Amino acid sequence: MNNDNNKTLNRRNFLKITAGSLTIISSVATPLIASIAQGVEKKGIGKVEGKIHEIKEFKYKHSYCMVILEDRCIDCERCMEACRKTWNVPDEHYRTRILEVENHKHKSFLPVLCFHCDFAPCVVACPTQASHKRKEDGIVLVDPDKCIGCKVCMLACPYDARYYNEEIHAIDKCTFCQPRLAKGLKPACVEACPAHVRIFGDLNDHNSEVYKLLHDYEKSIRVLKPEVHTKPRVYYRKS
Amino acid sequence: MKKRFNFALKFSKLELLLAGIFAIFLAISVAIGVKGLFQGHEHLYGTTREMPIALLLGAYIFFVVTSTGLCIISAIGHVFHFDAFAPIAKRAVFLSIATIMGGFVCLMFELDSPWKMHYFILTPNFKSGIWWMACLYSFYLAFMISEFIALIFNNHKLGSLLGFLGLSFGLAAHSNMGAVFGTLQGRPFWTGAFMPIYFIVSAFFSGTAAIIFFTYLSKHVKQRPFDERLNMSFHKLGWLFLFAIFIMMFFDTWSHIIGTLAYAGGKTLAIDSFEGPLKVNYWFFEITCGLLIPFIFILLTRAKSQLVLFICSAISICGIFYMRYDLMLAGQIVPLWHEIGASCAKYYVKYAPTVPEMLVFCGGLAFVGLAYIFGEKILDLDEDQSH
């Protein structure tokens, strides 16, 4: 009798454990489906054919990007000032800044901003789609109405491009001055720079300065932190 | 047949005092949280652009890790029918609900704009780990509450099924939370497949410590000694705790060796535990209190002394809190521009929790304490022998 009970129990336990394991595995797998789908999407990178921005997945109507001629920056901070003034950025914060970099006793200045990455980790991390990438021009924006202030996008961004703006109760960041672009103007930082460090334009326009700079194969072009594979749309090169 | 509820409350003076203190802390916590909602967190909390999450998210993780662990412990006896752990299953289920709610207190006041939460449903991002975490934890909580109600009404068959579902969603939610950190490519300390596994293992460890702590307390709250089954269960919990500590030590050792020997971005710098700003937290609280002291004393007493087990679990819980807190800080302590040699990123990011932040965390603890006292008094958290 006892043996029978034990057998029943064992069989019951076995079935439960097996069913349990399967359910647990499937439950764990569910949230990963999205990531797997994203991975499949990423395989499209393999289609790059030599030149920058021939990635077929990113066919924007306007393919906005910025080229920074890094040896020209003199750290005058007029770009930061213009940005603050244009977008009412609080004094203690910034949407763009200039890093002072020292390499082998050589000091240089490196302007940084939101890089509007094609594989933007902030967009993937945002639970409410407040952070999103515009399909028409690749600009990464934040919809303040949807931002819950979880700040996971700040953690996800490898470029320190975001801050929480208490005045608008949402994450704020560089928008490539999208409202100004809509009026046919250039970004405020580009206009304010006296040394012509920041070159902004549409890569789809083959006559644009950015297109020419990025297709001048005599100069090497780099992006910051390439190891994080975010495909930034801000490029650095010597003038 | 036991009574399901005991409304004829008889609180000792100490219990009343504790309940009063907990209620005050909870009220202060809510007041600070509400103030933060209106005034913003910038001048209230010590978080910055460089360190956007800190104590409160660490506290949230501390609570949910414990909750998942308690759920695992409850399932051993209640779902998988290992009889030795059945006497503590109902208490573990109740505490897993209380601790996750305590975590939500911290999380709610950590979010800057929680009133926009409905966008979780209106515009969900299925690629976001946080979205999945919220979704899975909601199901987890619903199943755990349902399981507890089923247990109160002595419907153990339904309770087992709900417990099983709770466990499944708990494990999915918790490993997913590990994945939220593991997929942050820009933060080398967190990045990697290790995190989801680490979260589950440390949940098991935290849950064991928490159930030992609260079960021992119940002896004093109820003012009656353990019966034979509970004595045996407590002894086995001691061994389980020792096993959990051993696994944690194993994980920690390899994590430390790999982090120290293999330069992986900012990983080495972040856990530069001999020189870095987290060295005291790491060596004293995490390793000595969290792991070594409990391990040595439980081994020496062969898990026979209930008082030693209780003290060890209490010390370990302190260590576990620092594990969560340090995990948050270590991921952000190396400035993002450090590797390109920016002069603004030469030093570790500084962070010190503010008093309001600490009070909100105390509010989370107070919620758990208050829930425990009332739970233990009103609801019978001991095993129902009638099933």
Side-chain angles (χ1 to χ4, degrees):
Chain A
M1 183 71 185
N2 264 343
N3 272 345
D4 282 355
N5 270 345
N6 281 342
K7 274 180 191 171
T8 321
L9 275 176
N10 286 340
R11 195 166 57 234
R12 194 173 67 181
N13 281 346
F14 173 73
L15 285 172
K16 274 187 180 171
I17 289 168
T18 313
S21 312
L22 286 175
T23 313
I24 290 164
I25 290 165
S26 59
S27 311
V28 173
T30 315
L32 295 179
I33 291 169
S35 332
I36 293 164
Q38 196 199 349
V40 172
E41 200 179 295
K42 275 191 179 180
K43 280 183 184 167
I45 302 168
K47 293 176 186 169
V48 177
E49 289 158 5
K51 292 177 190 172
I52 292 170
H53 271 268
E54 285 193 353
I55 303 171
K56 288 172 185 168
E57 283 75 11
F58 303 112
K59 286 282 183 190
Y60 306 111
K61 193 178 163 197
H62 297 287
S63 187
Y64 292 127
C65 74
M66 191 178 279
V67 178
I68 288 177
L69 303 173
E70 51 185 304
D71 52 345
R72 285 189 177 182
C73 181
I74 52 166
D75 195 24
C76 69
E77 295 191 358
R78 284 198 199 168
C79 50
M80 292 172 69
E81 226 175 274
C83 177
R84 271 213 180 91
K85 214 170 160 185
T86 312
W87 301 112
N88 295 322
V89 179
D91 287 343
E92 63 276 22
H93 291 294
Y94 50 84
R95 283 182 173 193
T96 181
R97 72 186 293 198
I98 298 164
L99 300 175
E100 188 186 304
V101 179
E102 216 168 314
N103 277 331
H104 309 294
K105 292 187 180 173
H106 171 73
K107 195 183 276 185
S108 61
F109 301 104
L110 208 60
V112 290
L113 60 160
C114 171
F115 290 0
H116 298 272
C117 310
D118 277 340
F119 295 125
C122 54
V123 173
V124 174
C126 178
T128 59
Q129 296 192 43
S131 285
H132 59 282
K133 193 165 172 67
R134 281 160 54 103
K135 283 182 182 153
E136 56 269 43
D137 52 22
I139 293 177
V140 175
L141 293 180
V142 179
D143 180 348
D145 291 339
K146 292 182 186 172
C147 176
I148 59 165
C150 67
K151 291 171 279 191
V152 69
C153 57
M154 290 173 75
L155 296 176
C157 174
Y159 303 110
D160 188 26
R162 295 168 163 249
Y163 71 97
Y164 187 80
N165 189 330
E166 303 250 298
E167 285 161 27
I168 58 168
H169 295 291
I171 294 290
D172 190 31
K173 62 178 273 298
C174 160
T175 61
F176 267 168
C177 283
Q178 189 270 324
R180 284 173 60 89
L181 298 180
K183 290 179 195 165
L185 299 168
K186 284 185 176 175
C189 59
V190 174
E191 273 195 359
C193 180
H196 202 50
V197 174
R198 299 173 183 234
I199 319 292
F200 182 83
D202 181 356
L203 268 179
N204 287 350
D205 175 4
H206 290 203
N207 293 317
S208 66
E209 198 177 350
V210 283
Y211 184 89
K212 286 172 187 164
L213 283 169
L214 291 181
H215 291 81
D216 170 11
Y217 297 122
E218 284 180 11
K219 296 274 182 186
S220 64
I221 299 156
R222 65 173 182 137
V223 294
L224 298 186
K225 300 195 181 187
E227 70 278 8
V228 291
H229 308 294
T230 57
K231 299 280 168 198
R233 298 177 73 79
V234 174
Y235 304 93
Y236 291 80
R237 57 160 275 177
K238 305 262 190 248
S239 58
Chain B
M1 177 96 175
K2 281 184 183 180
K3 275 197 294 184
R4 281 173 197 142
F5 306 102
N6 176 22
F7 290 109
L9 301 176
K10 280 179 191 166
F11 286 98
S12 69
K13 277 184 184 167
L14 179 67
E15 284 159 8
L16 275 177
L17 180 71
L18 281 175
I21 292 172
F22 288 154
I24 290 168
F25 269 107
L26 188 58
I28 292 173
S29 165
V30 172
I32 290 170
V34 173
K35 188 182 178 208
L37 289 183
F38 287 101
Q39 288 188 353
H41 292 163
E42 205 158 88
H43 303 293
L44 209 57
Y45 298 161
T47 47
T48 55
R49 178 182 183 131
E50 291 76 25
M51 176 92 58
I53 58 166
L55 173 66
L56 291 184
L57 206 85
Y60 164 70
I61 290 173
F62 168 68
F63 284 120
V64 292
V65 169
T66 309
S67 173
T68 312
L70 286 160
C71 170
I72 296 171
I73 299 295
S74 76
I76 296 175
H78 191 240
V79 177
F80 298 112
H81 299 288
F82 286 89
D83 280 350
F85 297 98
I88 44 99
K90 197 169 166 188
R91 181 171 286 106
V93 173
F94 176 79
L95 285 169
S96 75
I97 298 165
T99 44
I100 198 169
M101 299 291 275
F104 288 155
V105 170
C106 296
L107 181 68
M108 190 51 72
F109 299 138
E110 203 274 334
L111 293 178
D112 278 271
S113 317
W115 62 89
K116 301 178 201 165
M117 290 283 274
H118 54 283
Y119 282 105
F120 259 90
I121 298 162
L122 295 180
T123 53
N125 180 6
F126 297 119
K127 285 181 182 174
S128 161
I130 294 256
W131 188 88
W132 280 103
M133 190 182 77
C135 173
L136 293 167
Y137 269 127
S138 307
F139 279 105
Y140 164 74
L141 184 59
F143 284 125
M144 293 310 283
I145 292 173
S146 312
E147 181 193 4
F148 188 67
I149 293 169
L151 291 182
I152 287 175
F153 287 94
N154 288 331
N155 191 340
H156 289 274
K157 209 172 176 182
L158 180 65
S160 276
L161 176 70
L162 290 166
F164 171 68
L165 289 169
L167 175 71
S168 308
F169 277 91
L171 290 178
H174 201 59
S175 50
N176 182 71
M177 187 159 80
V180 167
F181 289 98
T183 51
L184 295 173
Q185 308 162 41
R187 309 280 178 167
F189 182 77
W190 290 325
T191 315
F194 177 71
M195 286 302 255
I197 304 159
Y198 174 78
F199 267 55
I200 295 293
V201 170
S202 67
F204 174 58
F205 169 52
S206 307
T208 322
I211 195 65
I212 288 175
F213 180 80
F214 284 107
T215 306
Y216 186 85
L217 276 186
S218 74
K219 189 157 73 170
H220 297 276
V221 175
K222 294 257 173 81
Q223 292 170 352
R224 67 174 183 226
F226 289 163
D227 60 23
E228 201 183 320
R229 273 170 60 83
L230 203 51
N231 264 329
M232 180 54 74
S233 186
F234 204 76
H235 175 61
K236 291 207 169 167
L237 270 177
W239 286 114
L240 197 68
F241 188 34
L242 195 73
F243 176 61
I245 297 173
F246 175 75
I247 299 178
M248 283 300 292
M249 285 165 124
F250 182 79
F251 265 64
D252 242 32
T253 307
W254 279 111
S255 166
H256 199 83
I257 291 172
I258 291 169
T260 310
L261 296 182
Y263 184 80
K267 203 163 206 152
T268 318
L269 285 167
I271 57 164
D272 185 3
S273 39
F274 293 102
E275 295 294 330
L278 298 175
K279 58 179 181 285
V280 176
N281 287 7
Y282 183 74
W283 287 111
F284 180 71
F285 289 108
E286 287 193 40
I287 300 298
T288 311
C289 296
L291 302 172
L292 284 180
I293 292 176
F295 189 81
I296 292 166
F297 280 90
I298 296 172
L299 203 62
L300 285 177
T301 56
R302 297 180 155 268
K304 280 177 185 160
S305 165
Q306 292 183 351
L307 183 65
V308 168
L309 274 177
F310 170 69
I311 294 169
C312 285
S313 70
I315 295 172
S316 205
I317 288 170
C318 290
I320 289 166
F321 167 72
Y322 274 92
M323 286 178 195
R324 312 296 168 240
Y325 178 60
D326 291 348
L327 183 73
M328 291 301 99
L329 301 196
Q332 306 164 81
I333 207 165
V334 178
L336 282 170
W337 294 116
H338 176 79
E339 280 173 48
I340 65 159
S343 59
C344 63
K346 276 183 185 167
Y347 304 101
Y348 287 111
V349 173
K350 281 184 182 163
Y351 166 78
T354 60
V355 174
E357 257 176 314
M358 288 191 250
L359 286 171
V360 171
F361 170 49
C362 289
L365 289 174
F367 179 89
V368 177
L370 210 55
Y372 174 71
I373 290 176
F374 281 94
E376 202 71 74
K377 285 282 175 184
I378 300 174
L379 310 163
D380 194 349
L381 299 182
D382 283 327
E383 182 198 23
D384 196 323
Q385 302 285 346
S386 59
H387 74 281

